[in-house]
């Protein structure tokens, strides 16, 4: 508990920032769902032949996994908060739409007939009878949607958005309990706060005259209730106006400086390199602002973001781009420099460019516990072929999905048929091996946690894996508008050894240090940035 409280205090400014981001994403999603769901619910309430297909569509959206929706929307909308808002709004749509429809269609028919009998038009009946009577049900739907949306906001971190999910996601990658809790606890408290506040609004928005006990309340009390209701609604309107105004203000840039966006996947290694790039730019330029988008969910999300201009610079690996992104077929004995040149030439087709290689070759390695290696005399990956049918392998989701240089490709090459495959983030994979939940893991040569665990590495005796040297990708905008940035970042050519990269990874994964601190310490030590920058 003390460790958690100390972490909260040390990261209070960052956590406050993430909390407001979390709230903004959730409330914008709810607002979008209200704007669409309430009018649509009114429409299908009046033209009921449309109710089944419309509610059916909302049900389908609710049933589709959020990760699948991300994969669908990213090519069209891109990464970041806006995609998360669209996805969360789709999930928030069903309770709002359904409650609006239910509230309007369950009103006593005699009341509507009475309204017609006194000469009300259909529009007057809708706004003066039906909607006021349906408000409690509609607000209940909005309240449910608001609480659920706050809980769902954590998905934004997976696609480069803000919010408390960034803490949770980063903490899971390195099994940092205080970091995970620093995102989970505020998110939970925020959901409870939203439920409480929407409960007050739900009560206030219903006209006093429609409350069941209003006929037995004294006239002075009714006046006070109406006054309280008006104040709550006025305050709610003011908060919404300030909220929307802050979003508009936040989107405006008064600094006069130009902006560059750097991003990376979720692994601690590329998050550190991401920071190295960002700090190099900040230290050696005066008129540039670097916006960071770390911990994106996968290689292909980063690739989409580079292609649509949402990212300007991103680190990755030559082998990953060679096989997975650019679709070239790896071959045994690939050399580092040739692989890099082939990747650089292929990137040009997409108007993208390659920064210099940084040095570390973070190739994939199969690893097992010493007792398993001794039991089966395991020394090479080929040795797994005869026993893989009885073994469970653990790897990253990225590696599992990649056909050419991932698990499908290496299994074909070596004749491996594992009993089961489990996918993990970086740190949980080691815990699964330690707990005998998996027998073999596919990890990385420069992984920091290799310093902690006593594992046996199996030789890639068929030289299946290509080189995975860290390098950077940048778009045409950087090349045309910021050539000095290319020169600055190319100073990092071969600046990092495998041992240095592994030590930095260990510092982040095991010691829980932030990528910003690790990157800054390395750059100062190498005299690549001044110590007072």
């Amino acid at each position: 508990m003390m460790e958690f409280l100390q972490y909260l205090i040390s990261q209070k400014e960052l956590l406050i920032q993430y909390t407001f981001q979390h709230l903004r994403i959730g409330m914008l999603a709810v607002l979008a769902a209200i704007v669409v769901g309430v009018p649509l619910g009114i429409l299908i309430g009046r033209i009921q032949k449309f109710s089944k297909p419309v509610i059916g569509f909302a049900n389908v959206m609710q049933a589709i996994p959020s990760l699948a929706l991300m994969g669908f929307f990213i090519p069209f909308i891109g990464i970041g908060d806006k995609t998360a808002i669209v996805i969360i709004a789709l999930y928030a749509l069903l309770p709002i739409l359904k409650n609006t429809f239910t509230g309007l269609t369950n009103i006593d028919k005699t009341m509507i007939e009475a309204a017609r009998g006194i000469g009300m038009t259909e529009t007057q009946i809708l706004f003066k009878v039906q909607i006021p009577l349906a408000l409690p049900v509609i607000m209940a739907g909005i309240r449910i949607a608001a609480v659920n949306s706050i809980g769902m906001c954590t998905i934004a971190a997976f696609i480069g958005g803000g919010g408390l999910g960034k803490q949770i996601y980063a903490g899971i990658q390195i099994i940092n309990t205080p970091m995970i809790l620093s995102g989970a606890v505020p998110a939970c408290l925020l959901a409870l706060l939203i439920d409480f506040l929407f409960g007050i609004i739900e009560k206030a928005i219903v006209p006093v005259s429609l409350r069941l006990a209003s006929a037995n309340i004294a006239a002075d009390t009714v006046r006070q209730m109406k006054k309280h209701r008006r104040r709550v609604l006025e305050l709610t309107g003011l908060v919404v106006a300030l909220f929307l105004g802050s979003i508009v203000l936040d989107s405006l840039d008064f600094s006069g400086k130009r902006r560059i966006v750097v991003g990376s996947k979720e692994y601690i290694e590329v998050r550190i390199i991401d920071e190295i790039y960002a700090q190099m730019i900040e230290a050696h330029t005066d008129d540039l602002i670097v916006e960071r988008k770390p911990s994106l969910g996968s290689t292909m999300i980063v690739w989409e973001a580079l292609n649509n201009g949402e990212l300007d610079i991103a680190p990755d690996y030559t082998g990953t781009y060679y096989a997975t992104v650019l679709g070239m077929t790896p071959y045994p004995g690939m050399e580092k420099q040739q692989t890099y040149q082939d990747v650089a030439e292929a990137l040009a087709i997409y108007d993208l460019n390659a920064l210099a290689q940084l040095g570390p070759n973070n190739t994939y390695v199969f690893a097992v516990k010493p007792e398993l290696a001794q039991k089966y005399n395991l020394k090479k990956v080929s040795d797994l072929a005869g026993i893989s049918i009885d073994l469970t392998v653990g790897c990253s989701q990225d590696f599992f999905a990649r056909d050419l240089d991932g698990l499908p490709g290496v299994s074909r090459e070596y004749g491996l048929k594992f009993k089961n495959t489990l996918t993990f983030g970086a740190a949980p994979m080691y815990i699964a091996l330690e707990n005998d939940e998996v027998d073999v893991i596919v990890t990385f040569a420069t992984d920091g946690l290799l310093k902690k665990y006593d594992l046996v590495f199996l030789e890639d005796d068929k030289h299946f894996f290509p080189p995975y040297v860290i390098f950077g990708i940048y778009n045409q905008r950087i090349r045309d508008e910021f050539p000095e940035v290319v020169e600055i970042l190319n100073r990092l050519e071969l600046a990092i050894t495998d041992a240095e990269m592994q030590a930095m990874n260990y510092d982040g994964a095991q010691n829980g240090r932030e990528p910003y601190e690790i990157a800054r310490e390395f750059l100062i030590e190498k005299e690549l940035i001044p110590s007072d920058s």
Side-chain angles (χ1 to χ4, degrees):
M1 177 58 96
M2 284 303 299
E3 186 181 359
F4 172 54
L5 293 175
Q6 288 171 358
Y7 184 86
L8 287 181
I9 294 169
S10 67
Q11 301 293 324
K12 59 181 181 299
E13 293 181 2
L14 186 66
L15 291 174
I16 290 171
Q17 177 189 342
Y18 285 169
T19 300
F20 278 107
Q21 290 175 353
H22 200 94
L23 181 63
R24 182 174 72 174
I25 293 168
M27 290 302 97
L28 280 176
V30 173
L31 184 60
I34 291 171
V35 169
V36 174
V38 172
L40 198 54
I42 293 171
L43 177 65
I44 63 175
R46 295 178 71 84
I47 311 174
Q48 295 192 16
K49 65 180 180 180
F50 295 141
S51 62
K52 285 188 177 180
V54 171
I55 292 176
F57 171 79
N59 278 319
V60 169
M61 288 297 101
Q62 194 83 6
I64 297 174
S66 56
L67 291 178
L69 282 181
M70 286 181 200
F72 177 78
F73 281 113
I74 284 172
F76 301 102
I77 308 176
I79 63 170
D81 290 349
K82 57 184 180 294
T83 304
I85 290 167
V86 170
I87 293 170
I88 296 168
L90 286 172
Y91 282 101
L93 186 62
L94 179 63
I96 295 173
L97 175 65
K98 209 166 187 178
N99 278 38
T100 302
F101 173 75
T102 302
L104 291 172
T105 54
N106 285 349
I107 294 171
D108 190 344
K109 303 299 182 186
T110 59
M111 297 188 70
I112 297 175
E113 291 302 321
R116 288 195 182 105
I118 62 174
M120 281 189 174
T121 64
E122 292 300 315
T123 302
Q124 287 174 324
I125 292 171
L126 175 65
F127 287 100
K128 293 187 177 182
V129 178
Q130 288 179 293
I131 290 179
L133 288 173
L135 271 176
V137 181
I138 295 172
M139 275 305 303
I142 293 173
R143 184 177 177 181
I144 292 168
V147 175
N148 289 343
S149 295
I150 291 296
M152 275 200 68
C153 283
T154 53
I155 69 167
F158 192 79
I159 51 175
L164 293 162
K166 294 175 77 170
Q167 287 292 99
I168 299 171
Y169 195 39
I172 289 172
Q173 293 301 313
I174 60 175
I175 310 298
N176 186 321
T177 302
M179 184 180 286
I180 296 170
L181 291 175
S182 72
V185 172
C188 179
L189 294 176
L190 200 56
L192 293 174
L193 176 63
I194 289 297
D195 183 54
F196 173 73
L197 294 176
F198 271 75
I200 295 174
I201 297 170
E202 180 182 349
K203 184 178 179 181
I205 205 168
V206 179
V208 174
S209 57
L210 294 178
R211 297 181 190 175
L212 294 177
S214 59
N216 300 319
I217 300 174
D220 287 344
T221 305
V222 170
R223 281 194 295 271
Q224 289 177 1
M225 291 172 66
K226 288 182 177 180
K227 188 176 180 180
H228 172 72
R229 174 178 180 268
R230 186 170 62 251
R231 285 177 178 172
V232 170
L233 295 179
E234 287 172 351
L235 182 60
T236 301
L238 178 62
V239 169
V240 171
L242 291 173
F243 179 67
L244 294 175
S246 69
I247 294 170
V248 173
L249 192 64
D250 188 52
S251 65
L252 300 175
D253 185 4
F254 300 103
S255 68
K257 293 185 177 182
R258 297 175 295 172
R259 186 177 298 271
I260 287 177
V261 184
V262 297
S264 68
K265 293 184 290 189
E266 76 273 21
Y267 303 123
I268 186 68
E269 180 165 276
V270 283
R271 287 169 56 209
I272 292 169
I273 301 300
D274 196 42
E275 265 301 329
I276 287 175
Y277 280 161
Q279 291 183 38
M280 281 288 287
I281 296 169
E282 290 170 336
H284 296 289
T285 61
D286 296 321
D287 63 337
L288 296 180
I289 292 177
V290 180
E291 181 181 345
R292 295 156 169 84
K293 288 188 177 292
S295 299
L296 298 174
S298 70
T299 297
M300 298 314 296
I301 290 177
V302 174
W303 172 246
E304 289 288 346
L306 283 166
N307 274 291
N308 62 29
E310 291 185 287
L311 284 183
D312 294 311
I313 301 168
D316 217 298
Y317 304 93
T318 53
T320 301
Y321 263 67
Y322 188 98
T324 303
V325 178
L326 300 170
M328 296 184 281
T329 304
Y331 54 89
M334 291 174 63
E335 296 180 351
K336 295 179 184 178
Q337 190 58 31
Q338 187 61 53
T339 304
Y340 170 75
Q341 289 175 0
D342 291 343
V343 168
E345 290 173 7
L347 284 173
I349 300 171
Y350 299 91
D351 290 328
L352 295 171
N353 309 275
L355 290 166
Q357 298 181 94
L358 278 75
N361 181 16
N362 194 14
T363 189
Y364 287 106
V365 290
F366 279 78
V368 297
K369 295 168 82 172
E371 46 267 38
L372 187 71
Q374 185 175 3
K375 179 179 179 180
Y376 293 107
N377 193 29
L378 300 177
K379 296 179 180 178
K380 307 183 296 294
V381 179
S382 295
D383 296 334
L384 289 172
I387 61 169
S388 60
I389 193 67
D390 298 318
L391 304 178
T392 297
V393 64
C395 62
S396 68
Q397 183 64 44
D398 207 25
F399 185 77
F400 175 75
R402 287 154 56 168
D403 183 63
L404 292 177
D405 67 332
L407 189 62
V410 76
S411 296
R412 287 193 299 268
E413 180 69 20
Y414 281 98
L416 306 177
K417 295 181 180 179
F418 289 104
K419 177 178 67 176
N420 194 14
T421 302
L422 301 180
T423 58
F424 304 91
M429 185 161 54
Y430 289 90
I431 294 175
L433 183 64
E434 192 75 5
N435 295 336
D436 295 321
E437 295 174 89
V438 297
D439 305 295
V440 185
I441 63 170
V442 186
T443 186
F444 310 99
T446 59
D447 197 325
L449 289 174
L450 292 177
K451 293 177 63 175
K452 179 180 178 181
Y453 295 91
D454 180 26
L455 302 178
V456 174
F457 307 112
L458 306 183
E459 178 192 351
D460 178 17
D461 48 309
K462 294 188 178 182
H463 305 287
F464 171 80
F465 293 114
Y468 290 91
V469 181
I470 304 173
F471 78 119
I473 306 99
Y474 65 98
N475 60 21
Q476 205 67 19
R477 173 175 171 259
I478 296 295
R479 181 175 181 174
D480 295 340
E481 298 180 26
F482 310 102
E484 71 278 14
V485 169
V486 178
E487 187 274 326
I488 290 167
L489 296 184
N490 279 340
R491 296 177 197 172
L492 293 165
E493 184 172 12
L494 304 180
I496 309 173
T497 66
D498 285 2
E500 287 171 336
M501 193 73 254
Q502 189 178 61
M504 286 191 281
N505 291 339
Y506 183 83
D507 219 3
Q510 182 61 26
N511 298 335
R513 293 186 67 203
E514 292 294 320
Y516 179 89
E517 299 171 359
I518 298 169
R520 178 173 170 78
E521 186 177 280
F522 169 80
L523 290 171
I524 291 173
E525 182 182 332
K526 291 283 185 174
E527 298 183 348
L528 288 164
I529 65 171
S531 59
D532 59 347
S533 63

